[in-house]
Amino acid sequence: MNSKAILHIDGDAFFASCEVAKNPALRGKPVIVGKERGMATALTYEAKAMGIKRGMTIYEIKKICPQAIILPSDYETYSLYSKRMFSIVRRYTPAVEEYSIDECFAELTGLRRSLRMTYEDMAERIKYDLDKELGMTFSVGLAPTKVLAKLGSKWKKPSGLTIIHTDMIPRFLDSTPIGKIWGIGPQTESFLLAHGIKTALQFIEKPEWWINEKLTKPHKEIWKELRGESVFSLSTEEKNDYQSISKTKTFTPPSRERDFVFSELSKNIENACIKARRHGLVSKEISFFLKTQDFKHFGLEIKLSRNTNIPKEILDIVRNNFDEVYSKGVLYRSTGVVLSKLASGECSQPDLFGGTLQADAMKKVYLQIDKMDEKYGKHTIFLGSSFLAMNNPAHKNERGEKVQRVQFLLKGETGRRHIGIPMLGEVS
Ligand SMILES: [Mg+2]
């Protein structure tokens, strides 16, 4: 096969599946997302089987399925799963187009030799990794073009893997209504229907002169793609959405106490790390901030010398830099931390200072802590004790972290006296 090999991957009932992956006790149950809007915006296949449909109101849902579990949307979680989905696919190929939160295209062309697999095997392996590591299913289409790959992923849902070889195209298109093709809108559909074209096969059987005469360029391109000739390339630049996890909390009454403010920050760091570990993410950059009683933000952004999701590692660095941000006598009302440059994966690369052993030990400790938390509830084992024990100031920036001074500006605060760069719009 000389033609291209393009994969389209689509998460099945993605938002609802994320809820189930996050909370395995929900598995097998009719789960519905959209509580905050009063209607179903996403639902598990179990919910669909009960006759629930998207757009139904909570009242209607309760009537036909009293045991339905209705949850508010948690977009932060969905985007973390999305991020992990894309990074799993990128293990196989750098050419990944993040098409939407739960869909991507991936180009496999030319990778058979280096991966020592057929394209079919790659598709199968990628699907296997996604299903297994994210705890939900994906539907996959493998074809010589994007339009055909997208048709493939829709072919069998949920959890399908549909391969469309060039010689199989007519069979697939014969049973596909023209309006179901990606990129054919209702107007084009009725135009084609008016010309007796009901199926995608009838469409590609039209001669090129007819297409040229009757249709515009984008539709001609779809015609080519459906015939197996790849026209649409992938836009593979990684979406720079400043993927981050942030934790912030306001305390009352406000406080001048250095130790208290620090411990508040510590708690936020722990919470952010719990979340990162739960999603299998590590952070390459952190920032922390203190907000004063008169709503000024002071913070630091720190590039880490290695990826981590271990609170002690982050706390050591924050502790060493805390006094650059904290001012004696000032009244504070909240603290916060942001873990950014998140990536799917493991902590710690070996470093020059022998820190790896310790990091590995911490990783094991936290694996146990996370297990306990899962069993007995969050913060069963809380750093409160461990962090007092950790009060062992190391040398400033000994790991060579680059510290960058940043003053945070929040939305609507531009009129204030702050100097600095508005780095993060949504830290509060
Ligand atoms: Mg989907």
Side-chain angles (χ1 to χ4, degrees):
M1 190 162 90
N2 260 338
S3 55
K4 290 192 173 189
I6 293 168
L7 215 54
H8 181 257
I9 303 167
D10 183 7
D12 298 323
F14 188 68
F15 291 176
S17 299
C18 288
E19 295 293 346
V20 176
K22 191 174 78 174
N23 178 7
L26 299 177
R27 199 167 290 283
K29 296 186 178 153
V31 177
I32 289 124
V33 173
K35 191 174 186 179
E36 79 286 357
R37 292 176 59 189
M39 59 180 230
T41 53
L43 49 156
T44 58
Y45 284 85
E46 289 83 358
K48 278 177 202 172
M50 306 288 250
I52 300 165
K53 293 191 167 60
R54 279 179 64 164
M56 271 190 185
T57 64
I58 289 178
Y59 176 78
E60 292 171 310
I61 295 167
K62 286 278 180 197
K63 222 162 51 179
I64 59 171
C65 180
Q67 74 274 33
I69 296 154
I70 305 170
L71 303 168
S73 312
D74 172 7
Y75 290 105
E76 196 178 19
T77 291
Y78 311 151
S79 85
L80 292 173
Y81 274 92
S82 171
K83 186 86 183 165
R84 287 185 64 195
M85 165 186 173
F86 301 141
S87 65
I88 289 169
V89 182
R90 285 200 176 89
R91 285 184 207 152
Y92 292 83
T93 170
V96 174
E97 175 178 332
E98 301 177 8
Y99 182 69
S100 74
I101 191 162
D102 72 328
E103 282 179 56
C104 68
F105 290 98
E107 170 123 35
L108 305 177
T109 318
L111 295 174
R112 279 181 293 196
R113 195 182 289 259
S114 59
L115 294 177
R116 292 203 208 114
M117 279 186 252
T118 63
Y119 293 135
E120 291 82 352
D121 288 343
M122 287 175 219
E124 217 166 283
R125 278 282 295 275
I126 292 171
K127 175 170 161 48
Y128 176 83
D129 286 357
L130 287 168
D131 289 359
K132 193 166 155 246
E133 290 180 41
L134 298 184
M136 61 181 83
T137 62
F138 290 81
S139 293
V140 175
L142 171 64
T145 72
K146 284 174 88 173
V147 173
L148 289 169
K150 201 144 185 342
L151 181 70
S153 70
K154 268 202 300 195
W155 202 260
K156 185 172 170 277
K157 263 183 156 295
S159 202
L161 169 57
T162 303
I163 298 163
I164 305 180
H165 288 295
T166 308
D167 57 354
M168 295 149 67
I169 291 173
R171 254 188 289 157
F172 279 91
L173 298 194
D174 194 22
S175 48
T176 304
I178 187 64
K180 294 273 179 223
I181 295 296
W182 179 45
I184 303 280
Q187 255 188 319
T188 313
E189 183 191 4
S190 31
F191 174 82
L192 293 172
L193 286 175
H195 283 81
I197 299 167
K198 292 195 195 83
T199 70
L201 181 63
Q202 290 168 337
F203 180 54
I204 65 163
E205 281 170 346
K206 281 282 169 195
E208 192 160 9
W209 66 261
W210 189 88
I211 300 291
N212 279 336
E213 197 170 286
K214 307 276 186 196
L215 297 174
T216 56
K217 191 171 166 238
H219 298 114
K220 187 184 173 183
E221 289 174 337
I222 292 169
W223 177 81
K224 283 188 178 170
E225 285 254 323
L226 284 171
R227 292 166 63 101
E229 183 190 334
S230 173
V231 184
F232 299 140
S233 52
L234 276 63
S235 2
T236 54
E237 72 281 356
E238 205 165 335
K239 295 238 165 71
N240 194 359
D241 55 0
Y242 302 104
Q243 189 64 45
S244 61
I245 292 174
S246 60
K247 288 287 169 191
T248 175
K249 207 161 176 250
T250 303
F251 38 85
T252 43
S255 174
R256 290 189 174 84
E257 281 294 315
R258 185 185 181 281
D259 287 351
F260 175 77
V261 175
F262 185 78
S263 79
E264 281 290 324
L265 181 57
S266 164
K267 211 159 93 185
N268 285 326
I269 291 170
E270 267 205 278
N271 283 331
C273 287
I274 286 172
K275 187 155 196 180
R277 292 198 301 276
R278 197 193 303 139
H279 294 289
L281 295 167
V282 286
S283 168
K284 193 80 206 273
E285 193 173 288
I286 64 137
S287 51
F288 69 94
F289 63 89
L290 307 179
K291 192 170 172 184
T292 65
Q293 180 60 3
D294 53 352
F295 293 93
K296 284 179 183 149
H297 282 73
F298 297 94
L300 278 182
E301 187 171 277
I302 300 172
K303 289 185 175 51
L304 306 176
S305 57
R306 57 172 182 254
N307 292 332
T308 189
N309 54 23
I310 301 299
K312 185 190 183 313
E313 286 198 55
I314 294 173
L315 266 173
D316 283 349
I317 296 159
V318 169
R319 183 181 289 108
N320 288 335
N321 295 286
F322 186 70
D323 287 323
E324 297 213 15
V325 176
Y326 171 83
S327 305
K328 222 174 149 182
V330 172
L331 208 50
Y332 293 99
R333 70 193 311 271
S334 70
T335 72
V337 67
V338 182
L339 309 184
S340 45
K341 301 259 165 78
L342 293 174
S344 183
E346 291 280 303
C347 295
S348 93
Q349 300 297 313
D351 70 355
L352 296 172
F353 301 96
T356 313
L357 262 181
Q358 203 201 4
D360 278 351
M362 288 311 291
K363 213 164 83 185
K364 281 181 193 141
V365 169
Y366 274 97
L367 209 65
Q368 292 308 315
I369 291 180
D370 289 342
K371 273 190 194 157
M372 297 283 276
D373 278 359
E374 196 139 298
K375 216 164 167 184
Y376 303 108
K378 197 163 150 191
H379 297 315
T380 301
I381 302 176
F382 182 53
L383 256 195
S385 54
S386 63
F387 106 40
L388 284 176
M390 269 192 246
N391 226 339
N392 184 15
H395 294 109
K396 207 165 186 174
N397 301 335
E398 66 177 347
R399 278 168 42 180
E401 265 76 29
K402 274 184 227 144
V403 179
Q404 216 177 341
R405 197 177 310 272
V406 174
Q407 274 187 305
F408 293 94
L409 289 173
L410 290 189
K411 280 180 198 153
E413 286 197 317
T414 43
R416 290 181 185 242
R417 232 159 20 90
H418 292 193
I419 36 161
I421 325 145
M423 290 290 298
L424 300 147
E426 310 253 317
V427 283
S428 196

